[in-house]
Amino acid sequence: MKRSIATLCATLAATAAAAEDWDFIVSAYGWFPAMEIDATIDRPGGSVSADVSTSATEILDALNFGLFGTAEARRGRLGLFGDMFYTDLGVSETGPLGERQSVGSNLFIFTGAGAWRLWEEGGSFIDAFGGGRFVSLDSTVTAGSRSASKSTSYAEPIIGARVGHAATERVTLNASANIGGFGVGSEFTWEAYAGGNYAFTERVSAELGYRYLSIDYENDGKEIDMQMFGPFTALVFKF
C-alpha cells in the first residue's frame, strides 16, 4: 500500500513537472484595416451586388464592435495556437450611377493550428503549421432600393509557416503566412503578417505590425471577395 502511494505521488510529481514545461502566451490586439468588399447575394427577382471600400482611417467609423485575441501553448518543438476576431461593421459609398451601395457584416473567424519548430537558434526560429479556420459571416447587401441578406458558416483547412528573428535582446522581428480554403470552405483564402515585438520585461511585451487577409468565397447563392489590410498592435503576456 505504501509503495502504491509512493508510486502515485511520484507519478503526480512527474505529471506536474511535465506540465511546468509548457509555456503560455496570450495577447489582446487591435487591427485597423482598410477594407475592399465585392459582394453578391442571390434573391428572388434577381441578385443584389455592391462593391464598397473604406480606408484604415475610416474603419473606426464603420466598426460597430470588435473583439480580438490570440493564445498559444508551447512545449519543446510543439506549439498549439488559436486566433479569434469578431467584427460588426457597415461600409457604404455612392455607386457609379449615383445609387447608394452598402455592405453590413458580422464576421467571426477562429483559426486553430498545431505548429512544429523546424529550426531554432539564439532566439530565431522557423515553424511550419497546419490546422483549420472556422468562418461565420452574416451579410446584408444594399444597392439603391434593393437589399438582400444571407448567413454563411464554414470550416476549411489551412497550412502555413512563421519565422522569428531576435534582432536585439528586447526586439524580435516576426512574420507569418498561411493559405486555406482549396474549395472546401472558401474558394481560396490567404493571410500574411509582418511586425516587430518589443519586450518590456520577460513576461510583458508589445507588438506592432501589418496584417493582410483575403477571402474569396462562392457558394449557395452568395459571392464574397473581401480584402482586409492594415496596421496591427498587440499587448502580449507570457506565463
Side-chain angles (χ1 to χ4, degrees):
M1 180 67 176
K2 290 182 179 179
R3 184 175 181 181
S4 297
I5 293 175
T7 302
L8 177 60
C9 290
T11 301
L12 291 174
T15 302
E20 291 176 356
D21 291 338
W22 285 93
D23 295 320
F24 300 94
I25 303 172
V26 296
S27 70
Y29 68 86
W31 186 21
F32 309 97
M35 297 186 66
E36 296 177 359
I37 307 173
D38 186 358
T40 299
I41 296 178
D42 291 342
R43 68 165 195 172
S47 62
V48 181
S49 300
D51 186 355
V52 296
S53 63
T54 185
S55 67
T57 57
E58 298 169 335
I59 193 64
L60 292 179
D61 291 332
L63 184 66
N64 299 315
F65 180 78
L67 183 64
F68 312 85
T70 65
E72 179 171 359
R74 172 161 292 281
R75 182 183 181 189
R77 289 180 176 269
L78 176 65
L80 304 172
F81 67 88
D83 175 271
M84 179 276 296
F85 75 83
Y86 171 81
T87 58
D88 175 4
L89 55 84
V91 181
S92 63
E93 64 180 31
T94 302
L97 301 179
E99 77 282 13
R100 195 64 176 170
Q101 296 186 134
S102 68
V103 176
S105 70
N106 293 319
L107 174 63
F108 173 81
I109 297 181
F110 176 79
T111 302
W116 186 256
R117 186 136 296 177
L118 302 175
W119 172 83
E120 184 173 20
E121 183 177 337
S124 301
F125 65 87
I126 301 174
D127 286 352
F129 62 84
R133 177 186 288 115
F134 173 78
V135 179
S136 177
L137 176 60
D138 298 335
S139 303
T140 299
V141 177
T142 301
S145 61
R146 298 181 302 137
S147 181
S149 299
K150 200 171 190 65
S151 298
T152 301
S153 295
Y154 62 87
E156 62 186 14
I158 66 165
I159 56 173
R162 59 183 183 178
V163 299
H165 172 66
T168 70
E169 290 185 357
R170 291 185 178 270
V171 177
T172 302
L173 304 179
N174 302 302
S176 66
N178 68 75
I179 57 175
F182 312 112
V184 176
S186 65
E187 294 300 305
F188 186 71
T189 296
W190 69 273
E191 183 178 20
Y193 169 79
N197 181 289
Y198 182 85
F200 300 109
T201 68
E202 290 184 359
R203 297 187 180 277
V204 181
S205 61
E207 188 152 354
L208 181 65
Y210 192 90
R211 184 176 182 179
Y212 193 110
L213 173 65
S214 174
I215 297 175
D216 181 7
Y217 175 85
E218 182 178 349
N219 193 26
D220 193 27
K222 183 176 185 176
E223 297 180 24
I224 299 288
D225 185 4
M226 175 187 298
Q227 286 81 42
M228 303 173 67
F229 47 94
F232 171 105
T233 182
L235 189 60
V236 185
F237 302 92
K238 297 182 179 180
F239 302 95

